């Protein structure tokens, strides 16, 4: 059996560990003299360094949660809007989690035992969040991000699928290349063909992070200072009248925001409440979409369309 046939069979078999599959792909990369393919395999086997771009299938949207208390109330696992966290850390991409660990350390058994969610400890940001997510008297004890366990598990399937696509397209391009003899990227024609196959299979689906797509285009129109527009847009998205009345009071007492586009404390508390509703299912909008929708509508109200 030729090397391409072995790789194809292993990619189709869920019983063959993906690390074993990749080691065979490493041999293929060496036979082809393909630095592109070899680098990708090395990163998957050994992990992605901080200065290396992570493929889209390893990027996920995090939902943020906090626990804490003050003299009057206590919160455990309270969702907080991605937009507010991003503003506080001054990073619009902070809610994107990049999974850089070696693929062999992704344990299906541990993922199955995680009850659907995997946590990313962000306690080193607690002091930065203090007094900015809630009123100053509220003491934040824990801060973390969550991603779907199925998304992390999907890395393994993504790698298998990419390897299979690469091998199949290579076989179609070179039907007699089962043993790879004489096939090398040192030949300009082969180098161009293998590079094209690599770019369309291994990194061909690199559109963006996986998960609740808070980065998606949210088409809402709210004219500056128009409470009528703000109410109308949010009502159409299922925001209840009591919440709209509360928001109207909040924006009336905080009629403007600065160039940093940071919302005032009353609007921030309202945002946290609404995201919590989305997380609990009381508001029928996904967590990621909730944050993006509310941010877009409120920025329009404050004159930042």
């Amino acid at each position: 059996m030729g090397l391409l046939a072995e790789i194809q069979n292993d990619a189709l078999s869920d019983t063959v560990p993906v690390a074993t599959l990749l080691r065979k792909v490493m041999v293929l990369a060496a036979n082809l003299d393909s630095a592109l393919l070899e680098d990708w395999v090395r990163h998957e086997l050994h992990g992605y360094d901080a200065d290396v771009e992570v493929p889209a299938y390893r990027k996920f949207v995090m939902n943020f949660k906090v626990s804490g208390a003050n003299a009057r109330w206590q919160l455990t696992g309270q969702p907080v809007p991605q937009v507010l966290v991003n503003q506080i850390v001054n990073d619009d991409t902070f809610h994107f989690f990049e999974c850089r660990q070696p693929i062999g350390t992704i344990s299906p058994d541990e993922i199955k035992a995680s009850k659907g969610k995997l946590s990313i400890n962000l306690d080193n940001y607690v002091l930065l969040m203090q007094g900015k997510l809630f009123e100053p008297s509220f003491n934040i004890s824990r801060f973390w991000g969550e991603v779907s366990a199925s998304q992390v598990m999907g890395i393994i399937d993504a790698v298998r699928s990419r390897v299979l696509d690469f091998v199949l397209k290579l076989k179609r391009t070179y039907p007699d290349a089962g043993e790879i003899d004489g096939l090398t990227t040192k030949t300009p024609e082969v180098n161009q063909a293998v590079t094209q196959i690599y770019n369309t299979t291994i990194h061909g689906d690199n559109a963006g992070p996986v998960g609740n797509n808070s980065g998606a285009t949210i088409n809402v129109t709210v004219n500056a200072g128009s409470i009528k527009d703000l109410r109308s847009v949010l009502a159409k998205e299922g925001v209840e009248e009591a919440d709209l009345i509360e928001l109207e009071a909040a924006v009336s007492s905080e009629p403007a925001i600065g160039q940093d586009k940071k919302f005032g404390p009353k609007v921030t508390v309202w945002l946290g409440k609404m995201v919590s509703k989305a997380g609990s299912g009381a508001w029928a909008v996904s967590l990621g979409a909730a944050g993006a929708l509310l941010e877009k509508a409120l920025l329009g109200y404050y004159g930042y369309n």
Side-chain angles (χ1 to χ4, degrees):
M1 182 185 295
L3 179 59
L4 290 183
E6 282 190 39
I7 294 174
Q8 177 180 319
N9 290 341
D10 288 354
L12 290 169
S13 174
D14 290 333
T15 62
V16 176
V18 70
T20 301
L21 168 66
L22 285 171
R23 283 190 282 270
K24 291 184 180 181
V25 179
M26 180 70 81
V27 175
L28 173 63
N31 289 346
L32 291 171
D33 291 309
S34 174
L36 277 176
L37 184 60
E38 183 174 341
D39 285 346
W40 175 69
V41 173
R42 288 190 185 279
H43 291 319
E44 286 298 331
L45 287 174
H46 303 296
Y48 288 79
D49 294 334
D51 60 345
V52 177
E53 176 69 15
V54 173
Y57 59 83
R58 280 178 169 264
K59 296 179 182 179
F60 314 116
V61 174
M62 285 191 293
N63 294 314
F64 298 113
K65 291 187 176 182
V66 299
S67 291
N70 62 11
R72 292 175 297 161
W73 40 285
Q74 178 175 336
L75 297 176
T76 302
Q78 171 75 16
V80 292
Q82 295 160 342
V83 59
L84 295 183
V85 174
N86 288 354
Q87 287 177 352
I88 292 169
V89 301
N90 197 29
D91 182 357
D92 290 338
T93 65
F94 186 72
H95 63 295
F96 295 147
F97 171 67
E98 298 181 343
C99 183
R100 295 181 174 272
Q101 70 190 80
I103 197 166
T105 65
I106 299 175
S107 169
D109 291 337
E110 291 181 5
I111 291 175
K112 290 177 182 177
S114 67
K115 298 181 180 179
K117 298 290 183 183
L118 296 177
S119 297
I120 297 93
N121 190 312
L122 299 172
D123 283 343
N124 53 321
Y125 289 92
V126 164
L127 289 179
L128 185 60
M129 299 294 155
Q130 198 68 45
K132 297 174 183 176
L133 286 177
F134 304 100
E135 60 186 53
S137 67
F138 186 84
N139 181 51
I140 298 174
S141 57
R142 286 193 60 214
F143 175 53
W144 70 97
E146 289 184 348
V147 297
S148 168
S150 62
Q151 292 171 353
V152 178
M153 189 65 184
I155 293 174
I156 296 175
D157 287 334
V159 168
R160 285 190 187 277
S161 296
R162 280 161 171 74
V163 168
L164 182 61
D165 285 347
F166 181 86
V167 168
L168 291 177
K169 288 189 178 181
L170 187 63
K171 289 176 70 175
R172 280 198 295 269
T173 305
Y174 299 99
D176 300 324
E179 296 296 341
I180 317 298
D181 291 337
L183 194 61
T184 171
T185 56
K186 290 180 180 178
T187 303
E189 178 187 346
V190 176
N191 178 59
Q192 182 178 357
V194 170
T195 299
Q196 183 177 358
I197 293 170
Y198 172 88
N199 287 332
T200 58
T201 56
I202 305 300
H203 280 292
D205 186 18
N206 212 18
V210 177
N212 294 329
N213 190 4
S214 63
T217 301
I218 303 293
N219 295 314
V220 299
T221 301
V222 176
N223 292 311
S226 174
I227 192 66
K228 179 180 178 181
D229 286 354
L230 185 61
R231 275 178 150 272
S232 176
V233 164
L234 296 182
K236 288 179 181 177
E237 297 297 334
V239 178
E240 296 178 350
E241 177 64 21
D243 294 319
L244 293 173
I245 292 173
E246 185 179 340
L247 174 61
E248 185 172 353
V251 297
S252 294
S253 62
E254 296 168 353
I257 59 176
Q259 291 293 326
D260 58 4
K261 300 181 182 180
K262 291 184 178 179
F263 301 118
K266 292 182 180 179
V267 171
T268 297
V269 169
W270 185 85
L271 279 169
K273 173 186 172 183
M274 292 308 300
V275 172
S276 179
K277 279 192 167 186
S280 68
W283 180 27
V285 176
S286 71
L287 270 175
L293 168 67
L294 296 173
E295 177 193 20
K296 181 76 172 178
L298 282 165
L299 286 177
Y301 175 82
Y302 283 119
Y304 294 97
N305 292 309

